[in-house]
């Protein structure tokens, strides 16, 4: 894995490549509009793993945080051609190391298929799930004129 370097520099993120991964290959962001992806990136801390030598992006994730009490780990993605080499584990470890000095009260995430990866980094089921609530997304308002 020394063939890859970690970066927290948002300017290094290949936004077009990551948008393609998310909108075409992920289950959670399939079909996401590029403007929505860019807005999400602009409101988040961005992280990546990059191939040494070429600088090509190999993995990505973003963190939504207030920087003091809470963070949401989101859009974690490893290039399908590079999976199985531990890049997801490394990316999550590096991101958590960046967040550690913030002494956040909680870091959350949602996953349908990578519980094992995150469990290795201390994530587990919500201890009090009945206390948590979610408001489902609402349909986009019609462009019709309202009098």
């Amino acid at each position: 894995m020394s063939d890859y370097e970690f970066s927290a520099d948002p300017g290094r993120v290949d936004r077009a490549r990551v948008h393609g991964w998310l909108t075409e290959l992920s289950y959670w962001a399939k079909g996401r509009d590029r403007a929505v992806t860019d807005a999400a990136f602009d409101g988040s801390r961005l992280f990546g793993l990059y191939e040494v030598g070429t600088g090509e992006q190999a993995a990505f994730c973003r963190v939504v945080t207030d920087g003091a009490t809470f963070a949401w780990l989101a859009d974690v993605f490893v290039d399908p051609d590079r999976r199985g080499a531990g890049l997801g584990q490394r990316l999550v470890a590096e991101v958590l190391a960046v967040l550690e000095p913030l002494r956040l009260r909680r870091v959350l995430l949602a996953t349908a298929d990578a519980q094992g990866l995150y469990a290795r980094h201390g994530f587990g089921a919500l201890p009090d799930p009945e206390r948590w609530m979610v408001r489902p997304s609402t349909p986009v308002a019609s462009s019709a004129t309202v009098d």
Side-chain angles (χ1 to χ4, degrees):
M1 275 197 297
S2 61
D3 295 340
Y4 298 93
E5 63 183 345
F6 172 79
S7 177
D9 177 1
R12 287 195 68 184
V13 172
D14 183 340
R15 287 179 173 229
R17 181 179 181 90
V18 173
H19 173 72
W21 285 341
L22 297 176
T23 194
E24 296 167 18
L25 302 174
S26 78
Y27 63 84
W28 66 89
K30 195 157 293 275
R32 183 186 286 171
D33 183 81
R34 176 64 191 263
V36 172
T37 297
D38 284 337
F41 287 3
D42 292 342
S44 304
R45 294 183 184 196
L46 309 181
F47 303 92
L49 287 176
Y50 302 87
E51 188 172 32
V52 173
T54 67
E56 183 175 71
Q57 184 138 20
F60 170 83
C61 85
R62 68 185 179 92
V63 173
V64 181
T65 183
D66 61 11
T69 64
F70 174 84
W72 179 270
L73 192 64
D75 290 342
V76 179
F77 197 91
V78 175
D79 180 351
D81 294 334
R82 293 179 167 103
R83 290 182 183 163
L87 295 181
Q89 289 291 338
R90 178 172 173 200
L91 180 61
V92 171
E94 297 266 16
V95 169
L96 292 174
V98 169
L99 297 178
E100 190 68 30
L102 300 177
R103 302 186 64 187
L104 302 167
R105 181 176 174 142
R106 65 181 44 94
V107 178
L108 296 175
L109 61 85
T111 183
D113 61 357
Q115 289 82 359
L117 181 150
Y118 298 110
R120 291 184 200 112
H121 296 281
F123 287 91
L126 288 172
D128 249 343
E130 64 277 356
R131 291 179 55 203
W132 290 86
M133 298 177 72
V134 64
R135 181 173 183 238
S137 61
T138 55
V140 176
S142 168
S143 60
T145 306
V146 177
D147 292 38

